[in-house]
Amino acid sequence: MYSPNEHPPTDQLAENNLQPFFVLHKASKSSESSAVMSPGKPRKRRLDSSPKVSLNSESMKENLKMEVFPYVWSKIESNIKDVLRSINADVFDEIGRWVCESFNEICSCRGPVDPSKSTLPYPFVQNGGLVKKLFTALVFTKNIETVDDILTFSELGLNLKSRGCYVVNISSLDFSTKNGIGGCLRAFLRQLLMVDIEAADVSLLASWYSDHGKYEKPVVVIIEDMERCSGALLSDFIKMLSEWSVKIPIILIAGVATSTDAPANVLTSRALQYLSTSMFFLKSPAERMDAIIEAVLVKNCAGFSVGHKVATFLRNYFLRQDGTVTSFVRALKMALVQQLSTEPLSFVLKILVDEGDNKRSWYEDLANLPEEVINHAFELPSYRTYSVNRNNHAELNAMSLDQGLSELQRLQELWRSRLMCLHEAGRYHKVALLDLYLEALDPELYNSRLSNHGCDNAKDKSLLSDSDKLFRLQKAEVTNQVIRKIRDLPAAKLSQLLKSWEGLTRGTVEVHEKIMELQSQMVSGDVKSHKAELTDKSNNLQCYNLCNRRHINRHRLNMEKDACTSNDKAMTLAGQTIRDTMQPIECMPFHELICFKDVDNLQSALVGDPRRRIQIDLLNFYKILKCGCCSNSGGTLSPSMHDTSIMYTLAQEHGDLINLHDLFQSFKASISSSEKKGLKKLASPKKRKDNTHSQNNSDACFQARFCSAVMELQITGLLRMPSKRRPDYVQRVAFGV
Amino acid sequence: MDVDEIDEEEFGFSRNYFLAKELGSSRKKSARKLSEIDLVDEEELRQVAANIEPKHEKEVKHLISSYESSYSNWLFALRCGFALLMYGFGSKKALMEDFATKSLTEYSVVVVNGYLQSINLKQVVITLAELLWDQLKLGRKTPSGSLCKSQQPFNTRSMSYLLTFLDKPDLEVEDCFVCILVHNIDGPGLRDSDSQQCLARIASCSHVRMVASIDHVNAPLLWDKKMVHTQFDWYWCHVPTFAPYKVETKFFPFILAHGGSAQSVKTASIVLQSLTPNAQNVFKVLAEHQLAHPDEEGMPTNNLYSTCRERFLVSSQVTLNSHLTEFKDHELIKTKRNSDGQDCLCIPLTNEALQKLIAEII
């Protein structure tokens, strides 16, 4: 591996291998080229490519990537944080109010403060009896994965701090039986007093609290995941806090993942008595996911987007495998990293972010780029198909790239507004944005929709019903459903929907006008019906005969018909605009620059599957090594194969227990089969004893190779060593790839 | 469509499992013993094993050097805040160190050999902190107040202080970190949950980047989701090398030597020969009894005493006990309780091994 001049001396290497750890090398003086950037605060506003340096130089590419990544990612990350913060804002407010109320209640039963006694528990109580109640908020996370709530609870802590509380965040790790109650107290004191004390005691806290005249502020203890704490320890902790609850007004906030009976399951009944609980509910992961999708991928805060396959993978990974928003965010970050590594021109993302901030043309930036980079853009498959379809022979220069990118943005803007319109309509039926988003991204769906539309025009329209004409594709189930259900919306909701559409389509004049038209129709309809109702009422008062009743009924029917027609119109409008203008990003020219599509790469970096992959490595090793000798064997064992591969293939033929003797014999037979071709496979043991030294030597060689192969399988965990009970058997661990 | 795939996969797995179980029970289990193989001496075995001629040497070399094209991507992922996790069959030690020497020159690198039995992570963290300190000094042109404060040496600081230092968000230089290279993060010395928690905390520090390797197929079970998603933040790299696990298996017992009787007979005879003839004879009485009664739990202590007294090997229970203590210390005998509640003595060796042993000490 090492080239000769940097090869460390062998004995030093051998020595290093036996050290628990060693310093491989120290940092060399960092070169000036390393991009030093702080996220969010770009040192330079513009791409620094003014001197026409070739982008092919590796270091230049590296620097560009490193410059763009923190810039784009910090934008996305802060957006996600904002979204999560705003989703929790209501609950946080509620909790904040509750903390104030609880604190006031504690204060009301506390008598005048005597600092000299403040370090003893059970204090001065004014009105009747000892107050041992501990005010506790149970915050239901609706999420078994506590990972997602780490951020939520730290945000809650910050929120309460800003309201003037002392806040301590304790995790379930601090409540381990190994550290005992001292462990959680230490964590407690470390955060409040900013000291690390070995002999932690509550009286320290009490004197700190009274010393600083902090009587006007409560101390809030946040435990993120109550159910993971050791029950006995948490009970003790609660008991201890309740003894001090008046001296130090402590308020407890505990995250609960499952149901209301969780505290009863975790705590002792004694500890339960001390609690005076209130309940609060956070939003579910699916709701958070929708909000993040909307903010990051649909509204496209940083210009970065993902292809249909990637989005489908992310959705499935979220719904079926991992279930955490955190991992989704991680995957997004990984996608951005991979996009920047594979597509050299994707640094245009930075310009996109810039543009979002202060609208300006990016022509200047593009004009400074070397020619080959510009040409690279015009060789992208998306542009090629585009130019072939349109018979486009535009000049290939920075100007046209600039135009292309602007067009890309315009189309994306259209797509975004249509999707949001759909989402608004779907809200009434609780359709998840995620599902709509996936369908809206599907390029196949879009293409077949277009071709279907062509067919429809050609055919006799009367043969097809309206809804059929809208979408004949079964695949676009969710989109179809949402559009169909517009027909069933009551008038009030429909006008609400139209109003939101009006806001969303402000960019496109044509659609916007149609919506306005529909709205005005509805309003006039409303006025009519209002008038009709008035006349109905007066008629009712005047005469109450059959004829008039018929009249009323007819009026109502007319009104319903009106409503129906406006619902139908809205539906048709939605279908039409979606068909005409909702173009998925993968159908747009130049999308490769900002859209990540390599789902396989992402998947392998995000979810390593060692169990499967290591077994496949062993079984199909010749595909990886690409050696000529073993690939022809076609599944049978040949002695040229890697020893451990032979061993693993042999092990496949056994049950869960493998007799070592048998395994050794078959291993020996398969590695020596070529040498003894034509001869009998095994010489009799007696004869072998008389054999020469060389035979002995090869015996040692077989055994040594057998041992190393077993050891290598042991390292991979695919074989378990013999137990004392069964000294002659090894155990197979994995069954099936 | 996907659901079907998953179902099929699960079905395949369970089918394979039960097939394997069935195979184990239905086919007459082979009862052949390891001792039937003519085993080579362990020392010789180790020597030969160290010099096994590797297969496909050229291809392996080519494969490993083909990963060099990914170095820049790996470095980029590291700089973006991910930790690299290398997996796939074959030793990845040389590959990772090569990556570090070629691509991580701007950062200090500490290598942890996880395949060793005991690793002091506190020492590792101290070294990391010292290296970061040096790196900060190096990168700084004009010394500023916060860094030039006289520092207490790191090795007297607590773990939490060190980790806070490594995680300082307010250091002005952003792309400044030290690298920790952990070979076999699933190795025997790091497999316990405390070490993994500690490693996770190290990996989550903003000025530390981790490159680690795993070899065990179940290694991901060491981590919970919090560790995986928020602390380690793994970027998986599938890099099978098929290079021999030479260093990693250095301390593994040889299966053909460890369980084999040859080794234990040898050590037992060495121990016995260092004892007095009387003690040897007491052991022989016990061994003969065990050979004569292979089905019993062992020899009851008072039977042993009476036999030994008859043969004038011991004069009192006290002398016998001193011999027995000696045997126990060298793990030559074990005590068991039989069905009558008597304490029985037995020698933890197979009958063949025992016969060899007796033949050797006469």
Side-chain angles (χ1 to χ4, degrees), chain A residues 280-351:
Chain A
F280 301 93
F281 296 89
L282 293 176
K283 290 276 196 308
S284 71
E287 285 169 286
R288 282 189 228 181
M289 185 73 174
D290 260 11
I292 290 179
I293 293 267
E294 182 182 338
V296 179
L297 291 174
V298 178
K299 291 201 176 146
N300 217 344
C301 61
F304 177 63
S305 49
V306 296
H308 178 245
K309 279 185 185 156
V310 175
T312 316
F313 163 70
L314 289 180
R315 172 183 176 272
N316 291 346
Y317 183 60
F318 172 72
L319 289 182
R320 293 184 192 152
Q321 252 179 305
D322 195 274
T324 63
V325 174
T326 320
S327 72
F328 175 78
V329 175
R330 213 169 83 84
L332 214 57
K333 184 175 171 187
M334 222 170 248
L336 179 62
V337 168
Q338 292 190 340
Q339 170 71 13
L340 289 172
S341 337
T342 48
E343 182 49 63
L345 256 177
S346 52
F347 64 81
V348 294
L349 280 170
K350 184 167 180 272
I351 320 180

Side-chain angles (χ1 to χ4, degrees), chain A residues 99 150 152-153 165 180 232 327 350 393 401 437 458 494 505 507 590:
Chain A
V99 167
I150 297 172
T152 313
F153 282 104
C165 308
S327 72
K350 184 167 180 272
H393 297 293
L401 180 59
Y437 169 69
L494 185 65
T505 54
F590 300 120

Side-chain angles (χ1 to χ4, degrees), chain B residues 46-144:
Chain B
R46 277 201 187 269
Q47 221 166 27
V48 178
N51 298 318
I52 295 177
E53 197 186 318
K55 290 174 179 173
H56 298 116
E57 209 171 357
K58 203 180 74 201
E59 283 91 353
V60 166
K61 231 178 202 169
H62 186 254
L63 178 68
I64 294 178
S65 56
S66 74
Y67 294 126
E68 209 172 319
S69 60
S70 313
Y71 284 4
S72 67
N73 286 350
W74 293 351
L75 176 65
F76 183 52
L78 267 188
R79 288 175 76 181
C80 293
F82 287 107
L84 301 177
L85 186 63
M86 313 278 178
Y87 73 108
F89 183 78
S91 170
K92 291 160 284 289
K93 188 169 165 54
L95 172 70
M96 282 160 68
E97 284 175 17
D98 186 60
F99 166 62
T101 1
K102 286 186 181 150
S103 298
L104 301 175
T105 45
E106 284 174 28
Y107 314 99
S108 305
V109 179
V110 176
V111 179
V112 179
N113 292 325
Y115 49 81
L116 297 175
Q117 286 296 331
S118 66
I119 289 147
N120 185 340
L121 284 175
K122 169 100 190 247
Q123 286 300 327
V124 176
V125 177
I126 291 171
T127 314
L128 285 174
E130 281 167 356
L131 287 172
L132 178 65
W133 177 250
D134 288 349
Q135 213 164 305
L136 288 174
K137 273 198 297 192
L138 195 76
R140 185 164 300 279
K141 281 155 204 149
T142 49
S144 86

Side-chain angles (χ1 to χ4, degrees), chain A residues 519-563:
Chain A
Q519 265 182 317
S520 61
Q521 272 177 18
M522 280 196 69
V523 170
S524 62
D526 271 358
V527 173
K528 261 190 218 163
S529 65
H530 190 64
K531 271 183 188 166
E533 248 169 57
L534 282 181
T535 34
D536 284 350
K537 275 180 190 164
S538 55
N539 282 349
N540 281 351
L541 282 176
Q542 280 170 10
C543 52
Y544 207 69
N545 56 27
L546 193 70
C547 169
N548 265 346
R549 214 178 270 173
R550 265 190 206 145
H551 176 72
I552 295 164
N553 283 345
R554 200 166 55 235
H555 243 301
R556 285 209 176 126
L557 269 176
N558 278 344
M559 271 161 56
E560 271 167 25
K561 209 175 167 189
D562 275 354

